[in-house]
Structure formats: C-alpha cells, structure tokens
Amino acid sequence: MTATTLHEPSHREALWELEAAFERGDVVTLFGTCTVEYDGRAASSLGPGARLLVLKPDGSALVHTDEGRTPVNWQPPGSEHRAAVRDGRLRVRSVRTTPAETLDVRFSAVDHLAAYGVTGGRDVEVVGSEADLKERIVADPSLVEAGFEPLATERESEAGHIDVFGRDAEGRPVVVELKRRRVGPDAAGQLARYVNAIEREEPDGTEVRGVLVAPSVTDRARDLLAEEELEHVAVDPAASDDE
Amino acid sequence: MTATTLHEPSHREALWELEAAFERGDVVTLFGTCTVEYDGRAASSLGPGARLLVLKPDGSALVHTDEGRTPVNWQPPGSEHRAAVRDGRLRVRSVRTTPAETLDVRFSAVDHLAAYGVTGGRDVEVVGSEADLKERIVADPSLVEAGFEPLATERESEAGHIDVFGRDAEGRPVVVELKRRRVGPDAAGQLARYVNAIEREEPDGTEVRGVLVAPSVTDRARDLLAEEELEHVAVDPAASDDE
DNA sequence: GCCTTTATTTCGAGC
DNA sequence: GCTCGAAGTAAAGGC
C-alpha cells in the first residue's frame, strides 16, 4: 500500500498532489483551516475553522470537525471532486447531479495532506438485524404465538411489503410486522396499513389480525394498537445464540 | 495548529503517539490494514483490509473504506478510546455504555498516523429546513389557502406536536403538517393521527380538516390522504428569496 | 429513475 | 432518562 503525505504544503503543492491522488483513485485526507459552502437539497454555510476533509474515489466527500459521528458537511457517492487554486488558496469542489448539489471547501491554510490506496475488505456481516429476527420467527413460529403458521415472508400488498404473513390456529390470516427495537406510533400505523390492505384483498368480511413483534412499544404506540385492534408480542431483541 | 504525523510507524510508536494525542484531545487519523469487530445493539465482523480510522476527542470513532458516505463501522460520541499493543499489534478499542457497545480495531500494519488539534467553527447555518417552511407559512398563510389563519405553531395534541394549527375562512379548525420534500404514506398517517386527536379535543361533531403541505406526494400517500379525507397543498421546496 | 423501508440510523427538543 | 420526529438523512431492494 502506498501512502503519500505532505506536511504543511503550499496550496499549489497540495493541488498537485490532490490531482495525482484523484488520478490514482486514492482516498485523501486533508487537515486545514477552511470555510465550507453547500448548496443543493438545502443550503448551508460554515465559517472558517480547523477541519478534516476526506475525499473518496467513489465521489464521497466528508467534512468533519472534532465533534460528532456525522460530518458537518458532505457529498454522497457519485459526486465528482475537483480541485483548484484561486487567489493563491486551495479550493476543493465536489459536484453531483440529480439532485444538483455542490460542496465548496476553501482553505486558508493546509496543514496536512495524505493520499492512500485503500482497497478490499468492504463487506461487513452484521448480526442482529430485522432480517435475523425474521429468520428466528420462521424457525420458531411459536415466538409469535402457539399455532401460528407462517405462509409467506415476502408477501406484497397494496400498502407495501409485509414482513411475515400467516394464519393462526383458527385459520385466520395474520399480518406480522417485525421491529428489532422499541417502537413508536409509526410502526403501529405501518401495521394498520398492511392489515387494511390484506382485509381488502381477502374475501369480504374476513377478519385479519395484525401482530407487531418488537421488544417493547411506547405508550402512544400502545394506544394506537388498541385503537386499531392490533396486538403486540414482546420478543427479546438480541438472544439468538449468545446470551 | 499543531499536526503530528508518523509514516509507517512501528505498532509501539503508533501506540505512544495515539496515547499522547488522546491526552491532548486531538483528532486522529490512522491508515492501515486492520480487522474490525463491533458488538452492541447489533454485532458485526469485518475481515482484514485497508481502512481509515478516525478518532475524535468527543469519543466518536469512524472506520471508513474507500466507498460510501457512511462509515463501515463506528462508535458514537461519548465512547472512550483506548489503545494497546497485543502480540506486537496495535489495537484500538472504543467502548461506551447505555447501550453497552464495543468497537475493536486490530491492525496488522499501520501505514500512517496523524494527530491534529481541531477546534472551533462547528456551527453550520442550514437553510431550507422544515423550520424555514414553517416561517414561510406563518409569514404568508395564503400558501396553505386563501383565508387560512394560523393560530398556533406549537400546539400539542394527544398524538404529538402539530406543526401549524389554525382555522379556515369558514372558521373550521385546520391541522397543517409540513414536509420539505416529497412524502410517502408515513406522513399521511402522521397527519391522520393529529386530525383524529384534535377531533377528540374539539366539541363533539366538529369537522377538523387536515392539510399536508409538501412539494408532492407519492401515489400511495395520495390514496391514503383520500381515504382519510385529508388534503394536499403543493409548495415549491426551495424558493424563498432565491429562485 | 421512483417508491418503500431499514438503520448499530444520528441528532435535537421536550418532558 | 425516554419519547418523538426531522434529516441535505444514507443505503438497500423492488419495480
């Protein structure tokens, strides 16, 4: 892996290295004092300050301060990075279309620039997602209730994609909505929409049950579930193989 | 601003510099080959690869590959960073509680380390948010409809916070929900919940109107609005002073 | 491309 | 601390 670094480069030196790094498809980090202007879906302006700029070969751009997980400004993948020196100052501009968005970073001082060939090993295996919960339900339908029989995990309805569809011990259709964590009113509304859609699809008068499978629900969600005559089944969030 | 950089340091040299940087409250970037283990709300495992690790003094940790705006692994602010050398390899561990989460980055090779004093200028002024839309509505209520009179922008209901509440030309109560961009069924559901809540609060039989103010709505949202007898008013998203 | 939903969402406000 | 909703949400999957 090659790493090129410049310590307190001139703006013009930084520009040369930046352009070479773009050419190579490197990931670039830039530390320095800069202002940031963004215009697109919204618009924002950020006064002078010391920041970290990360530029990726896929077009992503991140402006980080010393605080927060979220960049203070950014540009999503698919943007195009361009660098220039204007009035003796390095300027990095990242532009994308649909939607039209521009990120403009103007440096008054560049403290450090590093360019790296970063490749390989992007695949993360995340465990504990909603998909995992679905697998648990299918493997052990009694987690929903005794006698529950899953019929489809990919059923489409007029209202959208239903997590698990099946029938209870008495043969009544059951719509199951899965959430891996405590849920609010939005999830109750989502389940209600699905149940209504299935009621329209089933023969007239068929009673369709709706079950929200989640670790817990908020008070407001509980009220909404009661109002819509939907049910909540508590499941332990993690607990698959580990304890 | 002081910037310390190490090029291809030994694992032990990297450790010393890391600990000094933590002490100083610097932002640190580390390039190298590493594996990443995360365990907390979910769990994940990331095999060896070249990555960029960013450590912030507020406890944030970001693991970036050469793709994507979102880090492949991370730890939110409030975590605590610790570094150590085990079996001759640098290991950075970031831990937080509530919820208990651990991020473990094990390096097989450290290519570059940089530490920076990044301070000041974190405040971004974002224009074009929902709050801006609310100001526009209050300044010109006819954007909702002729004769609309806003009475409250902070009205609380049993179902939650209502963006704008007012009365139409005939004196009927109107619940206005604002969205700065095209909306789906969730927003229609949200508005329906607010309208229902106000109908319960108003004298029996009072007809309460619900108006969704947004640039546009999806087909499904349109159906849902029609079902619930709610209305949609189109507003240009940007368009305040600029054109 | 649009639509829909999930996310280790993050973040902020209010209670 | 929890709840709720916004976000330039991002990212994935389906059409």
Side-chain angles (χ1 to χ4, degrees):
Chain A
M1 196 192 323
T2 16
T4 316
T5 65
L6 298 178
H7 192 64
E8 296 185 5
S10 74
H11 290 252
R12 204 155 284 281
E13 286 170 337
L15 172 63
W16 294 333
E17 188 50 44
L18 256 183
E19 288 180 335
F22 291 163
E23 198 67 33
R24 291 192 301 265
D26 283 0
V27 170
V28 179
T29 59
L30 261 162
F31 267 110
T33 305
C34 60
T35 62
V36 186
E37 302 290 327
Y38 156 74
D39 194 30
R41 286 169 290 179
S44 77
S45 193
L46 187 54
R51 321 225 162 76
L52 169 67
L53 171 63
V54 179
L55 299 168
K56 297 190 181 188
D58 72 346
S60 313
L62 312 168
V63 181
H64 274 280
T65 67
D66 62 336
E67 286 189 344
R69 203 219 69 134
T70 302
V72 68
N73 272 118
W74 69 91
Q75 199 68 293
S79 313
E80 193 174 337
H81 308 316
R82 270 170 292 162
V85 171
R86 291 279 177 273
D87 301 324
R89 307 296 196 192
L90 178 68
R91 188 180 75 187
V92 180
R93 182 174 274 183
S94 189
V95 179
R96 75 157 174 165
T97 49
T98 56
E101 293 191 297
T102 308
L103 182 73
D104 231 307
V105 184
R106 291 186 168 90
F107 285 89
S108 59
V110 181
D111 287 88
H112 185 71
L113 183 159
Y116 303 82
V118 177
T119 51
R122 279 173 222 133
D123 302 330
V124 220
E125 194 69 27
V126 179
V127 175
S129 63
E130 191 181 292
D132 286 298
L133 181 55
K134 190 192 291 181
E135 282 176 28
R136 284 171 60 199
I137 298 291
V138 171
D140 181 7
S142 74
L143 284 171
V144 175
E145 74 180 18
F148 174 66
E149 183 194 6
L151 297 173
T153 60
E154 305 292 331
R155 175 159 182 177
E156 277 304 323
S157 80
E158 200 188 281
H161 180 92
I162 290 168
D163 287 339
V164 180
F165 177 78
R167 295 193 180 270
D168 67 12
E170 270 104 64
R172 281 174 300 196
V174 182
V175 174
V176 180
E177 173 67 23
L178 305 175
K179 295 291 172 191
R180 56 182 300 281
R181 49 179 227 173
R182 184 171 174 83
V183 297
D186 52 336
Q190 200 181 338
L191 177 57
R193 293 201 304 274
Y194 295 160
V195 168
N196 287 337
I198 295 297
E199 272 175 348
R200 284 194 296 269
E201 291 180 23
E202 293 284 319
D204 272 10
T206 306
E207 188 201 345
V208 178
R209 294 175 57 198
V211 177
L212 183 57
V213 174
S216 59
V217 299
T218 67
D219 288 352
R220 208 109 83 189
R222 188 176 301 283
D223 294 349
L224 207 54
L225 288 171
E227 228 172 84
E228 304 275 353
E229 298 189 324
L230 304 172
E231 304 153 55
H232 166 233
V233 169
V235 287
D236 198 351
S240 48
D241 42 345
D242 53 292
E243 60 191 275
Chain B
M1 195 193 323
T2 14
T4 316
T5 64
L6 298 178
H7 191 65
E8 296 186 4
S10 74
H11 290 251
R12 204 155 284 282
E13 286 170 335
L15 172 63
W16 295 333
E17 189 49 44
L18 257 184
E19 287 180 335
F22 291 163
E23 197 68 33
R24 291 191 302 266
D26 283 359
V27 170
V28 179
T29 59
L30 262 162
F31 265 110
T33 306
C34 58
T35 62
V36 186
E37 303 289 326
Y38 155 73
D39 194 30
R41 287 168 291 178
S44 77
S45 193
L46 188 52
R51 321 227 161 75
L52 169 67
L53 172 62
V54 179
L55 299 167
K56 296 191 181 189
D58 72 346
S60 312
L62 313 169
V63 181
H64 274 280
T65 66
D66 62 337
E67 286 189 345
R69 203 216 70 135
T70 303
V72 69
N73 272 120
W74 68 90
Q75 198 69 292
S79 313
E80 194 173 337
H81 307 317
R82 271 170 291 164
V85 171
R86 292 278 177 275
D87 302 323
R89 307 297 195 191
L90 179 67
R91 189 180 73 187
V92 180
R93 181 174 275 184
S94 188
V95 178
R96 75 158 174 165
T97 49
T98 58
E101 292 191 296
T102 307
L103 182 73
D104 230 306
V105 184
R106 292 187 167 89
F107 285 88
S108 59
V110 181
D111 286 271
H112 185 69
L113 183 158
Y116 303 82
V118 177
T119 52
R122 278 176 225 131
D123 302 331
V124 220
E125 195 69 28
V126 179
V127 176
S129 63
E130 189 181 294
D132 287 299
L133 182 55
K134 190 192 291 179
E135 282 177 27
R136 285 172 59 199
I137 298 291
V138 171
D140 181 8
S142 75
L143 285 171
V144 175
E145 74 181 16
F148 174 67
E149 182 194 7
L151 298 172
T153 61
E154 305 293 330
R155 175 157 182 179
E156 279 304 323
S157 80
E158 202 188 281
H161 178 92
I162 289 168
D163 287 339
V164 181
F165 177 79
R167 292 190 182 275
D168 67 13
E170 270 104 62
R172 280 174 300 195
V174 182
V175 174
V176 181
E177 174 66 24
L178 305 174
K179 294 292 170 188
R180 57 179 301 280
R181 49 179 226 174
R182 184 173 174 84
V183 297
D186 53 334
Q190 200 181 335
L191 178 57
R193 294 202 302 274
Y194 295 161
V195 168
N196 287 337
I198 296 298
E199 271 175 347
R200 285 194 296 267
E201 292 179 24
E202 293 283 318
D204 272 8
T206 306
E207 187 200 347
V208 178
R209 293 175 57 200
V211 178
L212 184 56
V213 174
S216 60
V217 299
T218 66
D219 287 352
R220 207 109 84 186
R222 189 175 302 282
D223 294 348
L224 207 54
L225 287 172
E227 227 172 86
E228 305 274 352
E229 298 190 325
L230 304 171
E231 303 153 56
H232 167 232
V233 170
V235 287
D236 198 353
S240 49
D241 42 346
D242 53 292
E243 60 194 271

